Amino acid sequence: DADVTQTPRNRITKTGKRIMLECSQTKGHDRMYWYRQDPGLGLRLIYYSFDVKDINKGEISDGYSVSRQAQAKFSLSLESAIPNQTALYFCATRFGGEAFFGQGTRLTVV
Amino acid sequence: GENVEQHPSTLSVQEGDSAVIKCTYSDSASNYFPWYKQELGKRPQLIIDIRSNVGEKKDQRIAVTLNKTAKHFSLHITETQPEDSAVYFCAAISGTYKYIFGTGTRLKVLA
């Protein structure tokens, strides 16, 4: 299922570097989300967007920013990466009640 | 803000036994309660959901129950099989945009 695509799939970056994770979707859904997954902490909401003019902070937005370049694209940036941002990041779209996830991006900050 | 608590964090059952995972939510405005399954190395995928106007829903070996008064809902898996081994997430949806997940339950089905 390539309807929600994340790039890159894996990334190792150094502390202090700026990094962008990209998400694109072909589902035509307005609602898009970024989550981070850590062991024992589940899926925590970073940012969400209803459309290109509507961006909202989630539970853990500090240290992150997003850009909704088009309905189909929603990017997550780490302004200055730090080791505790090492995690698995998921982009998701939503239609009705169901969320559709991308494959995930495993980010390691060293 | 909204909060979803999920228990247990890990659960081991013998193949053929039942498994129950419980979630409690804080926002009384929540009206949609989905469950997602995440197999190792894969993305979460919806397996069953329930809306607030229904108390129970069943789909083959899985069922979900909802108690709105107590603000909790549960996932029941009967006749567990090795392929049921995964991480399961509950969610409680309130409002139009937010989608808040529980912390996950790692289910291991022992052959």
Side-chain angles (χ1 to χ4, degrees):
Chain A
D1 184 354
D3 291 345
V4 184
T5 303
Q6 292 181 234
T7 56
R9 295 293 309 279
N10 290 280
R11 181 72 180 267
I12 300 173
T13 193
K14 293 184 178 180
T15 296
K17 293 290 187 181
R18 186 177 190 273
I19 183 171
M20 179 181 289
L21 309 183
E22 300 191 0
C23 177
S24 63
Q25 53 120 342
T26 59
K27 288 186 168 293
H29 297 164
D30 288 325
R31 299 168 189 171
M32 297 189 73
Y33 302 77
W34 274 104
Y35 291 92
R36 106 173 236 176
Q37 184 175 24
D38 299 276
L41 295 177
L43 293 159
R44 292 184 291 166
L45 182 61
I46 307 173
Y47 271 95
Y48 59 104
S49 169
F50 179 60
D51 64 25
V52 294
K53 298 179 181 178
D54 182 76
I55 304 290
N56 302 277
K57 293 183 178 180
E59 305 168 86
I60 54 165
S61 59
D62 288 349
Y64 302 94
S65 64
V66 291
S67 174
R68 185 80 184 266
Q69 302 94 325
Q71 186 205 39
K73 295 183 181 295
F74 192 36
S75 301
L76 175 72
S77 294
L78 283 67
E79 303 303 325
S80 179
I82 56 177
N84 76 0
Q85 290 178 313
T86 293
L88 180 60
Y89 290 85
F90 282 103
C91 172
T93 69
R94 177 183 164 191
F95 181 76
E98 185 172 356
F100 298 87
F101 288 85
Q103 318 96 308
T105 295
R106 186 165 296 281
L107 177 66
T108 303
V109 184
V110 298
Chain B
E2 298 90 338
N3 183 49
V4 179
E5 295 186 359
Q6 182 172 346
H7 299 281
S9 57
T10 61
L11 178 60
S12 294
V13 299
Q14 292 291 328
E15 182 178 357
D17 287 350
S18 296
V20 181
I21 303 170
K22 298 181 179 181
C23 288
T24 303
Y25 60 97
S26 60
D27 189 344
S28 56
S30 297
N31 57 10
Y32 175 69
F33 307 91
W35 286 89
Y36 287 79
K37 176 183 180 182
Q38 184 182 26
E39 297 178 349
L40 188 63
K42 297 189 177 181
R43 72 191 82 185
Q45 292 190 303
L46 181 72
I47 55 171
I48 195 168
D49 57 16
I50 193 168
R51 297 195 178 273
S52 58
N53 58 346
V54 177
E56 183 175 359
K57 183 176 180 180
K58 189 174 182 180
D59 182 4
Q60 299 183 354
R61 295 186 298 108
I62 59 173
V64 58
T65 59
L66 171 65
N67 183 329
K68 285 208 71 180
T69 302
K71 294 184 188 174
H72 66 70
F73 55 112
S74 301
L75 177 71
H76 305 254
I77 306 174
T78 58
E79 301 173 22
T80 53
Q81 302 170 3
E83 54 265 37
D84 295 328
S85 295
V87 177
Y88 292 81
F89 292 99
C90 64
I93 312 308
S94 58
T96 307
Y97 308 134
K98 278 197 173 182
Y99 212 103
I100 305 297
F101 287 90
T103 49
T105 297
R106 183 173 298 278
L107 174 64
K108 296 181 183 178
V109 179
L110 307 172

